[in-house]
């Protein structure tokens, strides 16, 4: 197939601002290329792809940056501006359509979803977040009633945020396993990885690390500086070791040395890439049972799941983390979330949708 993928409008690929979508795009493209599909990617200026995507065609465009939906009021009404980056990416993708079989949209945004109703070729939407905007929920609902197969989700818990979707297509996510090295060592430090923003709940991980009397290593893009400062101020200096935002090869190398990843989402986490990345390195995860992590971690086998927001349970199970056999974590990723498995699921989805248009 010849496919065009629209990237997230939140930040360029490689910036960290786009969160998990950046990695999802790279592993999806890498998996599709291995199956000999031909891929165009439309993304904001300065975007860079991972090495394994070098035979894809990258088209970068310039436009007005926008705020992430989850940091705006749920009831916000958008003023659609022609200069917005998502509009410009969409126009570019549409201009490539004459040589393409389908567009896969990874942008959680109105315009690409609306466009599905206006054109007679397939635009498929892999929705990257739960219900974070009434406007987006309404447009998904409207388009879904005519094009029920054009939407897919990462986890059942995420799809449940859209109850009008009757039999959601769940794709999970994919990871290029050759980029992650399994590390056996069990006695390393504690890790937390993610965008530093309130929906990620870093404060709860800082609390359990402090109760256990250890520092917490934090990797990720600091999206909300005030939020980060408020956590720093709550603990003695040095309690949080800021490791910065690293590219995958460095991140996985450092993360793999850790004894556990603490994952504390405060929102309905659509998937939770960092959970699987830790597991790919052999690092077990203690997480809130909220959203995707609840479907990824096998309690007692690859980590522990605790009631959301229950910090004392988090602490209790963190102390038991050495009971987990690290090779089981890697094994789960190999069997469930490689980029090949993910690409295969996406191809089946594409075929089903393309058939509807013939
Ligand atoms: N990440 C990274 N370097 C870092 C920290 C995080 O590349 O130093 C990436 C990580 O690989 C993951 C993404 O940030 O793909 C976070 O995605 P996740 O699905 O966990 O959460 P989101 O940000 O999408 O809500």
């Amino acid at each position: 197939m010849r496919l065009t993928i629209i990237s997230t409008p939140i930040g360029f690929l490689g910036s960290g601002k786009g969160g998990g979508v950046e990695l999802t795009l790279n592993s999806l493209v890498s998996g599709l290329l291995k199956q000999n599909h031909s891929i165009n990617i439309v993304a904001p200026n300065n975007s860079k792809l991972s090495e394994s995507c070098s035979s894809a065609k990258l088209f970068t465009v310039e436009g007005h940056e926008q705020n992430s939906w989850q940091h705006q009021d749920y009831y916000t009404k958008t003023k659609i501006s022609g200069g917005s980056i998502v509009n410009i990416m969409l126009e570019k993708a549409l201009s490539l359509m004459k040589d393409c079989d389908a567009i896969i949209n990874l942008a959680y945004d109105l315009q690409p979803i609306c466009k599905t109703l206006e054109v007679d070729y397939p635009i498929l939407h892999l929705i990257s977040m739960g219900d974070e905007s009434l406007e987006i929920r309404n447009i998904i609902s409207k388009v879904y009633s005519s094009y029920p197969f054009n939407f897919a989700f990462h986890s059942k818990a995420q799809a449940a945020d859209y109850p009008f979707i009757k039999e959601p297509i769940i794709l999970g996510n994919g990871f290029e396993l050759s980029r992650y090295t399994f590390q056996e060592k069990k006695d390393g430090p504690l890790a937390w990885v993610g965008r530093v923003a309130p929906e990620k709940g870093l404060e709860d991980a800082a609390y359990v690390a402090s109760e256990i009397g250890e520092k917490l290593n934090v990797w990720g893009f600091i999206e909300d500086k005030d939020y980060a400062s408020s956590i720093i101020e709550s603990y003695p200096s040095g309690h949080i070791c800021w490791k910065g935002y690293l590219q995958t090869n460095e991140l996985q190398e450092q993360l793999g040395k850790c004894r556990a990843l603490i994952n504390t989402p405060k929102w309905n986490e659509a998937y939770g890439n960092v959970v699987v990345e830790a597991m790919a390195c052999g690092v077990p995860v203690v997480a809130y049972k909220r959203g995707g992590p609840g479907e990824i971690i096998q309690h007692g086998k690859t980590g522990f799941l605790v009631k959301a927001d229950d910090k004392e349970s988090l602490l209790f199970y963190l102390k038991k983390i050495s009971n987990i056999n690290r090779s089981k974590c890697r094994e789960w990723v190999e069997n469930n979330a490689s980029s090949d498995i993910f690409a295969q699921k996406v191809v089946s989805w594409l075929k089903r949708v393309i058939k509807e248009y013939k």
Side-chain angles (χ1 to χ4, degrees):
M1 282 183 273
R2 293 159 306 166
L3 305 165
T4 297
I5 301 181
I6 301 178
S7 182
T8 170
I10 313 293
F12 59 87
L13 289 168
S15 67
K17 282 189 184 177
V21 179
E22 297 183 27
L23 190 81
T24 300
L25 184 145
N26 277 292
S27 36
L28 176 60
V29 170
S30 146
L32 291 171
L33 288 171
K34 268 209 239 163
Q35 295 187 20
N36 293 324
H37 300 291
S38 117
I39 312 291
N40 299 318
I41 297 145
V42 184
N45 241 355
N46 296 322
S47 287
K48 284 192 185 64
L49 295 169
S50 73
E51 255 171 53
S52 55
C53 300
S54 58
S55 58
K57 270 195 200 148
L58 174 64
F59 298 88
T60 57
V61 299
E62 203 152 355
H64 302 313
E65 283 223 355
Q66 57 198 73
N67 293 331
S68 36
W69 287 89
Q70 72 270 30
H71 301 133
Q72 300 177 45
D73 185 90
Y74 179 73
Y75 298 97
T76 300
K77 284 214 181 308
T78 5
K79 289 192 200 81
I80 297 186
S81 103
S84 80
I85 188 89
V86 72
N87 265 333
I88 295 171
M89 289 199 296
L90 178 61
E91 287 310 317
K92 182 69 201 172
L94 294 172
S95 77
L96 299 169
M97 201 52 218
K98 59 182 184 316
D99 298 317
C100 259
D101 297 304
I103 293 175
I104 303 176
N105 168 44
L106 302 184
Y108 179 92
D109 221 317
L110 296 171
Q111 295 89 328
I113 302 176
C114 284
K115 205 43 119 183
T116 320
L117 297 172
E118 295 167 23
V119 294
D120 60 0
Y121 42 77
I123 307 183
L124 295 87
H125 309 279
L126 175 51
I127 303 296
S128 61
M129 293 201 283
D131 181 16
E132 294 296 324
S133 145
L134 181 62
E135 246 187 329
I136 294 195
R137 178 197 177 91
N138 287 343
I139 190 66
I140 293 177
S141 171
K142 185 174 170 194
V143 176
Y144 173 76
S145 59
S146 305
Y147 295 93
F149 301 122
N150 291 41
F151 295 91
F153 301 85
H154 290 289
S155 67
K156 288 185 205 154
Q158 176 205 6
D161 261 10
Y162 306 92
F164 48 84
I165 306 258
K166 292 300 168 225
E167 283 172 27
I169 298 167
I170 309 295
L171 301 178
N173 213 344
F175 300 81
E176 288 176 70
L177 283 166
S178 58
R179 300 180 78 189
Y180 299 87
T181 307
F182 174 76
Q183 298 195 44
E184 188 61 68
K185 201 168 164 276
K186 272 187 144 180
D187 55 0
L190 298 175
W192 187 94
V193 187
R195 281 179 298 106
V196 180
E199 67 271 21
K200 294 297 190 176
L202 171 60
E203 63 278 22
D204 288 11
Y207 168 81
V208 291
S210 146
E211 288 298 299
I212 227 167
E214 285 184 43
K215 290 178 179 174
L216 181 65
N217 292 285
V218 174
W219 288 269
F221 174 70
I222 300 185
E223 195 169 31
D224 185 331
K225 293 195 173 67
D226 294 340
Y227 169 70
S229 306
S230 73
I231 299 172
I232 295 168
E233 281 160 18
S234 312
Y235 292 97
S237 139
H239 174 58
I240 294 184
C241 296
W242 297 100
K243 301 285 193 179
Y245 176 80
L246 304 184
Q247 297 306 312
T248 303
N249 57 343
E250 256 189 280
L251 173 67
Q252 67 84 32
E253 214 264 321
Q254 298 187 17
L255 179 58
K257 294 188 168 58
C258 294
R259 151 168 126 260
L261 177 82
I262 307 172
N263 188 252
T264 42
K266 294 283 170 182
W267 67 345
N268 184 12
E269 188 72 69
Y271 187 76
N273 281 2
V274 299
V275 170
V276 181
E277 293 181 271
M279 286 165 59
C281 304
V283 179
V285 187
V286 187
Y288 286 153
K289 192 172 181 188
R290 178 178 266 150
E295 292 165 32
I296 296 167
I297 299 159
Q298 294 168 291
H299 185 74
K301 192 172 178 193
T302 57
F304 295 107
L305 286 168
V306 309
K307 191 165 158 273
D309 305 321
D310 184 347
K311 290 187 283 186
E312 300 313 320
S313 286
L314 204 58
L315 183 59
F316 176 82
Y317 281 108
L318 183 57
K319 290 178 183 162
K320 294 185 178 298
I321 206 72
S322 63
N323 295 345
I324 301 291
N325 176 347
R326 289 170 76 100
S327 60
K328 295 284 173 213
C329 300
R330 172 78 185 196
E331 207 174 283
W332 185 90
V333 186
E334 284 173 2
N335 293 334
N336 296 279
S338 68
S339 51
D340 294 339
I341 295 173
F342 181 48
Q344 196 47 57
K345 287 187 201 162
V346 171
V347 166
S348 303
W349 175 42
L350 280 159
K351 284 185 178 160
R352 182 176 178 182
V353 176
I354 290 171
K355 207 165 71 187
E356 297 287 319
Y357 283 77
K358 286 203 168 133

